[in-house]
Amino acid sequence: MAGKSFLRDVDRQFEAAAQLVPMQDGMSEKIRVCNATYVVRFGVRLRGHMHTFLGWRAVHSTHVSPAKGGIRYAPDADQEEVEALAALMTYKSALLGLPFGGSKGALQINPADWQQDELEKITRRFTQELTRHSFLSPSQNVPAPDMGTNERTMVWMTDEYRRWAPNDINAFACVTGKPLAAGGIEGRIEATGRGVQYAIRELFRHEEDLAPTGLSPDLADKSVIIQGLGNVGYHAAKFLSEDDGCRIIGVIERDGAVYREQGLPIEQLKQHLNTNNGVRGFPDAAFVADGASILTRRCDILIPAAMEGAITEANAGSINAKIVAEAANGPTTFEADAILRSRGVLVLPDLYVNAGGVIVSYFEWVKNLTHIPFGLMERRHHETSHRMLAHSLEAMTGTSFPDGQARAFLDGAREIDLVRSGLDDMMRGAYEEISRARKTDAGNHDMRTAAYMIAIRRVSEAYSVIGL
Ligand code: NAD
């Protein structure tokens, strides 16, 4: 989907929800529009030639600072797409109650066209431009990885920022999604996929919300089709199958889709994808060259986790899933959303489902600002007091703790335990709020409208209290 129609869809969704939120005159327009977009063209000498690159960093809202949002490297990126994604970041952070405004960036390149050392040069030049114009700093604008960028890209950006601002003691907080050895946090890579799992689990805990789908409230053996086995899709598929017993019956990738009714082994499939640059040829599974056609196969849960505009007017009428969990940003167009609703398909919206990334980015940013790993002060203290409690219980009852349980009870929480616990808590809390906001005197709203209503109300309040 071209960025223009993506931006129009985000705006239309915003307007549908904004009219349900009481606000002072003109506030709705103030919230909807993108505050500023920095367009940058810069040159890098590579392979004996000067190449000019085009990039953007959009700041949709700074009702709180810093503004937060990923940077993607994609050949078809454009300004409207970046602005649509920045708007989604504003609404996502507001929905989750995170202290961030919304931002997003992109560079119009295909990373596969360049060697690592070339990508490093390009990224460092891009970072210089962003930093020089205050579109990258721990207090003003904090990027993270997105499509086509990863931990390594974030290390280059941090390193370049530190050269620019050697006296900034909080320099590591200038981007999130860094590797552990460079100021990152446990659980950031898995965060968005983990959040997808927590979002789906939470829906299944709410029998009243689940009832219209006709599905039983047990995730085990539910059939799932996933589009995109990248960072988000792979982790969601892995956790839903390994922890919850879901059957991942279909995986759609760039070169086609693989399908197996009994469920696909995700770890092996991911290895096959990495080695062969596609899913074709994966053993004991049917291969379908027209991958997108698998989107309409019958399943309980469809997870678009690749890119925007996967479900459109053209295929929404044929979607054969009970639930669509939007792991990608903007995978369903505005028209397609209406069609899915009219057909009784329950849509868990992107600004909720894929919020795990920004939630754990928030933890990472706080860790960088406090300069201390989570749990460092408490862990041994908790172990000691738990051990004393266990000894007392054993002395009082004359029986000892079963071996396996003792370990789980005695061990203090590690950083990864705290990160997952915090992520789960925030995903559950937001679900409760969406579920409550859906039910109004005028009838039930869909989850997306309810999520937008919460976000818009929060941003409006933030602007109002500063006197806007
Ligand atoms: P990624 O690049 O790691 O993975 C995307 C996957 O989708 C790749 O495996 C790619 O081959 C596949 N793909 C691309 N085009 C496809 C097509 N037309 N058909 C089928 N498969 C296709 O990216 P990601 O980080 O996993 O992001 C995926 C989506 O999730 C994006 O919309 C992104 O904005 C969103 N998202 C990502 C994060 C995060 O933390 N990474 C957070 C929030 C939202």
Side-chain angles (χ1 to χ4, degrees):
M1 178 169 50
K4 207 167 260 176
S5 54
F6 183 20
L7 181 59
R8 199 184 59 232
D9 278 4
V10 173
D11 282 348
R12 284 200 285 177
Q13 186 53 57
F14 172 88
E15 273 150 13
Q19 61 177 339
L20 301 166
V21 181
M23 280 181 278
Q24 56 167 306
D25 193 35
M27 181 63 88
S28 171
E29 180 67 1
K30 165 71 202 88
I31 297 173
R32 188 187 63 77
V33 296
C34 184
N35 283 10
T37 303
Y38 172 54
V39 185
V40 57
R41 293 175 191 85
F42 60 88
V44 186
R45 183 164 288 284
L46 299 162
R47 303 178 193 178
H49 296 285
M50 179 62 81
H51 295 264
T52 302
F53 295 91
L54 171 62
W56 302 267
R57 185 75 178 159
V59 175
H60 175 261
S61 175
T62 49
H63 63 287
V64 271
S65 291
K68 185 93 190 73
I71 288 188
R72 67 172 51 172
Y73 285 1
D76 52 359
D78 61 37
Q79 181 168 341
E80 284 85 1
E81 177 190 66
V82 173
E83 291 185 358
L85 290 163
L88 275 179
M89 284 306 298
T90 297
Y91 309 140
K92 198 179 297 183
S93 290
L95 171 67
L96 271 298
L98 300 171
F100 294 138
S103 186
K104 202 81 180 189
L107 201 57
Q108 199 182 61
I109 61 167
N110 182 357
D113 291 345
W114 302 98
Q115 306 292 334
Q116 284 302 313
D117 61 326
E118 295 170 330
L119 278 175
E120 177 174 352
K121 278 188 189 144
I122 298 165
T123 301
R124 286 183 183 274
R125 272 290 286 125
F126 189 29
T127 308
Q128 288 164 18
E129 294 296 332
L130 294 176
T131 309
R132 191 175 303 156
H133 293 88
S134 299
F135 282 86
L136 188 146
S137 89
S139 59
Q140 285 176 295
N141 199 315
V142 181
D146 195 77
M147 283 163 67
T149 54
N150 53 29
E151 286 191 329
R152 195 179 299 137
T153 326
M154 297 304 111
V155 172
W156 295 330
M157 294 192 112
T158 314
D159 191 52
E160 202 56 38
Y161 175 80
R162 289 174 69 209
R163 284 187 197 192
W164 176 268
N167 295 324
D168 186 347
I169 194 168
N170 293 320
F172 276 104
C174 75
V175 300
T176 59
K178 303 178 293 290
L180 260 184
I185 191 167
E186 298 268 10
R188 175 59 184 86
I189 295 179
E190 67 167 45
T192 309
R194 184 64 80 180
V196 174
Q197 175 195 32
Y198 289 164
I200 293 172
R201 278 186 180 175
E202 197 54 16
L203 166 63
F204 275 73
R205 285 194 195 100
H206 287 71
E207 290 193 30
E208 198 187 331
D209 294 339
L210 189 66
T213 68
L215 292 172
S216 65
D218 183 3
L219 260 176
D221 209 38
K222 294 292 181 288
S223 55
V224 178
I225 293 177
I226 297 201
Q227 183 188 39
L229 205 63
N231 180 322
V232 179
Y234 158 67
H235 286 105
K238 175 180 167 70
F239 299 143
L240 284 168
S241 55
E242 288 178 4
D243 303 345
D244 300 297
C246 290
R247 267 181 304 127
I248 314 296
I249 60 172
V251 168
I252 306 162
E253 258 295 328
R254 285 181 204 269
D255 66 326
V258 279
Y259 189 87
R260 188 200 284 174
E261 195 59 41
Q262 304 87 322
L264 294 154
I266 294 305
E267 231 20 91
Q268 281 111 296
L269 181 58
K270 180 68 178 172
Q271 272 169 26
H272 181 92
L273 174 65
N274 289 345
T275 318
N276 301 286
N277 217 4
V279 291
R280 183 192 287 268
F282 186 67
D284 303 324
F287 176 76
V288 181
D290 177 14
S293 67
I294 296 295
L295 285 169
T296 56
R297 285 268 176 109
R298 180 202 288 274
C299 65
D300 295 323
I301 307 170
L302 175 64
I303 306 182
M307 73 295 176
E308 52 259 26
I311 305 175
T312 64
E313 261 178 303
N315 61 4
S318 319
I319 295 292
N320 215 339
K322 306 277 187 351
I323 296 166
V324 172
E326 295 183 333
N329 281 312
T332 313
T333 65
F334 188 75
E335 285 84 6
D337 195 36
I339 296 171
L340 292 181
R341 251 181 288 135
S342 72
R343 296 183 55 237
V345 179
L346 195 159
V347 179
L348 280 175
D350 49 5
L351 71 160
Y352 169 61
V353 174
N354 69 33
V358 71
I359 292 172
V360 177
S361 275
Y362 167 56
F363 300 156
E364 181 179 335
W365 181 70
V366 171
K367 177 181 171 180
N368 294 151
L369 294 179
T370 54
H371 302 268
I372 185 167
F374 287 106
L376 181 73
M377 305 292 277
E378 310 92 326
R379 186 164 171 209
R380 299 301 170 197
H381 172 72
H382 284 163
E383 275 184 14
T384 310
S385 52
H386 287 181
R387 185 161 291 114
M388 278 166 59
L389 181 62
H391 286 331
S392 308
L393 283 171
E394 285 175 340
M396 276 155 43
T397 59
T399 48
S400 34
F401 261 86
D403 241 8
Q405 283 179 26
R407 273 262 64 81
F409 178 71
L410 294 176
D411 281 357
R414 301 159 302 159
E415 187 169 80
I416 185 70
D417 302 319
L418 295 170
V419 165
R420 287 183 184 149
S421 159
L423 173 60
D424 196 15
D425 188 55
M426 295 200 82
M427 292 302 290
R428 287 198 205 194
Y431 187 95
E432 284 294 341
E433 289 191 272
I434 297 170
S435 186
R436 262 200 311 276
R438 289 183 73 188
K439 293 152 197 148
T440 65
D441 297 341
N444 277 6
H445 297 297
D446 59 286
M447 296 241 183
R448 193 191 311 277
T449 303
Y452 267 83
M453 284 165 64
I454 296 166
I456 294 167
R457 185 174 41 72
R458 290 215 171 113
V459 180
S460 163
E461 281 168 7
Y463 278 131
S464 295
V465 293
I466 56 167
L468 212 71

